[in-house]
Amino acid sequence: YYDQSNVPEEIMKVVTALAFLASAAAFAPSSKPAFTTQLAAEDFLEAEPYYDQSNVPVNQFKIKTPFTGKVVSQKRIVGPKATGETCHIIIDHEGDFPYWEGQSWGVMPPGNREKDGKPHSVRLYSIASSRYGDDMTGKTGSLCVRRANYWCPELNAEDPAKKGICSNFLCDSGPGTEVKMTGPAGKVMLMPEEEPDTDYIMVATGTGIAPYRGFIRRLFVEDTPAAKAYKGQAWLFLGVANSDALLYDDEWQASLKSHPDNFRLDYAISREQENTKGGKMYVQDKVEEYSDEIFTKLNNGAHIYFCGLKGMMPGIQDMLKSVAVEKGLDYDEWLKGLKKAKQWHVEVY
């Protein structure tokens, strides 16, 4: 009775959308939400044609003239054994701060720096929702933020003087908290939607998952022109320390069920899995397991994305170089070709 093989795709899309909305509702406060939920077609924030990127909004709000949004909800989204705290924050922008999947918002934390009395600098965060927001009204956007704390070995405790100003502000926020923002920033992580059979390979560590959540919602959850047209495969690789640190797993599982031919998912859980050499399983090790297939996809026009801590890139580059050498390729020339074709997308911090 649970065989879904003959369920029409449109019905599965509605089921998946309901699952994602339930997930979004879990992030919302128990009080009256600041937004309404809709299940109508998500087509009112589209370019014409939908893949035209000539008018992508960029830097509409700047440091001297920031936008003020209001927090709808803030919720911890990792388990008790996760390494650190990661929160999902929904911000109401009333439809006045449009953005595209893959862009970032700048957040200006309140207060001034102790050292010189100047305002705190802007912190960039990849937006973790589609342009329609978790509620699909086009009036909210979401951030995935890990609280930055500093553990002092001498005190054998966290040093509050060295904690991350902006991440703690966001993770401590609540409904109604005002957030000054800049942006939207960046075009490097946009999806090239003109060719609907393009494969996307998405590699993330931790909160680097944020832009891919927007991609996956747009392709597999929402009733967008991009979703209707998409015939390729989106392959997500996520690296975290342990199972409690996995982010948005319920949403990925829903997309796997609704689009088993178009969505793939692989986790690298460093403290629970071993790589082929017997060491910890990092995200580059998981990617390496499929290196032949990934190289074939890239040679056929796939786009590969990297988002997360910049420390992951040397391992990724070393792995790809070793595989390229095995295949008799000049790695530098191969990479230059990907970059020239705009198939290589990197946003690390």
Side-chain angles (χ1 to χ4, degrees):
Y1 69 92
Y2 47 77
D3 180 13
Q4 299 175 345
S5 59
N6 294 315
V7 178
E9 182 177 349
E10 288 305 309
I11 294 177
M12 285 305 300
K13 189 174 286 288
V14 171
V15 171
T16 306
L18 288 169
F20 271 74
L21 283 169
S23 177
F27 298 136
S30 57
S31 58
K32 184 178 178 181
F35 56 84
T36 57
T37 295
Q38 71 168 56
L39 275 175
E42 283 71 55
D43 59 7
F44 54 91
L45 294 177
E46 301 295 325
E48 184 58 48
Y50 72 91
Y51 50 78
D52 181 9
Q53 297 183 356
S54 58
N55 291 308
V56 174
V58 177
N59 297 327
Q60 293 186 325
F61 295 92
K62 302 179 180 179
I63 293 175
K64 292 184 177 180
T65 55
F67 180 86
T68 301
K70 287 188 177 181
V71 171
V72 173
S73 64
Q74 173 274 117
K75 184 178 178 66
R76 178 187 172 107
I77 56 171
V78 291
K81 296 180 181 179
T83 51
E85 179 181 13
T86 300
C87 297
H88 183 87
I89 298 117
I90 299 176
I91 298 174
D92 183 1
H93 61 76
E94 299 183 341
D96 296 328
F97 199 168
Y99 58 87
W100 281 33
E101 299 76 15
Q103 291 191 294
S104 299
W105 271 342
V107 175
M108 302 171 63
N112 299 312
R113 299 185 302 208
E114 289 186 13
K115 65 178 182 180
D116 56 16
K118 294 182 179 180
H120 293 295
S121 57
V122 173
R123 270 71 162 186
L124 286 176
Y125 292 94
S126 297
I127 301 170
S129 53
S130 78
R131 68 191 70 179
Y132 294 99
D134 287 359
D135 60 339
M136 301 187 190
T137 64
K139 295 182 179 181
T140 68
S142 301
L143 299 178
C144 179
V145 180
R146 176 170 171 161
R147 187 189 294 273
N149 290 324
Y150 175 76
W151 183 267
C152 178
E154 294 179 0
L155 296 175
N156 197 31
E158 290 179 355
D159 184 347
K162 296 181 180 180
K163 68 180 183 180
I165 299 296
C166 198
S167 65
N168 278 272
F169 162 65
L170 290 170
C171 290
D172 288 335
S173 67
T177 298
E178 292 191 345
V179 182
K180 289 185 177 181
M181 302 186 294
T182 64
K187 289 185 176 181
V188 70
M189 296 292 282
L190 298 178
M191 288 190 293
E193 296 178 330
E194 188 166 359
E195 300 295 335
D197 57 350
T198 300
D199 288 341
Y200 301 123
I201 302 164
M202 305 165 286
V203 183
T205 56
T207 56
I209 196 73
Y212 310 141
R213 183 173 183 265
F215 291 4
I216 292 164
R217 288 178 67 84
R218 179 165 175 78
L219 294 176
F220 304 131
V221 179
E222 299 169 352
D223 188 10
T224 63
K228 290 184 176 74
Y230 191 61
K231 298 295 185 288
Q233 184 183 77
W235 191 353
L236 175 62
F237 291 87
L238 172 61
V240 294
N242 59 35
S243 296
D244 269 20
L246 289 172
L247 300 169
Y248 308 112
D249 178 65
D250 56 336
E251 300 185 7
W252 313 144
Q253 300 305 325
S255 288
L256 281 173
K257 287 183 179 179
S258 65
H259 293 78
D261 296 330
N262 303 100
F263 181 54
R264 286 175 72 172
L265 174 67
D266 276 282
Y267 288 144
I269 305 177
S270 62
R271 299 186 183 180
E272 298 175 13
Q273 299 173 338
E274 283 190 355
N275 61 28
T276 55
K277 302 177 183 69
K280 290 183 177 181
M281 174 71 78
Y282 293 109
V283 72
Q284 63 265 27
D285 301 314
K286 181 58 68 172
V287 173
E288 186 176 15
E289 290 183 8
Y290 301 96
S291 57
D292 286 343
E293 189 174 356
I294 287 171
F295 267 71
T296 298
K297 283 180 174 289
L298 290 170
N299 288 337
N300 290 334
H303 284 240
I304 190 164
Y305 296 77
F306 303 95
C307 190
L309 295 174
K310 61 184 177 183
M312 79 172 179
M313 289 311 294
I316 290 283
Q317 298 264 28
D318 290 345
M319 181 275 294
L320 291 174
K321 186 172 185 176
S322 65
V323 175
V325 170
E326 289 177 9
K327 293 179 176 295
L329 299 172
D330 181 319
Y331 175 71
D332 292 334
E333 288 299 315
W334 176 79
L335 181 57
K336 188 184 296 183
L338 289 182
K339 291 179 177 179
K340 185 176 181 180
K342 298 182 179 180
Q343 294 171 248
W344 181 269
H345 309 259
V346 180
E347 187 170 85
V348 293
Y349 40 83

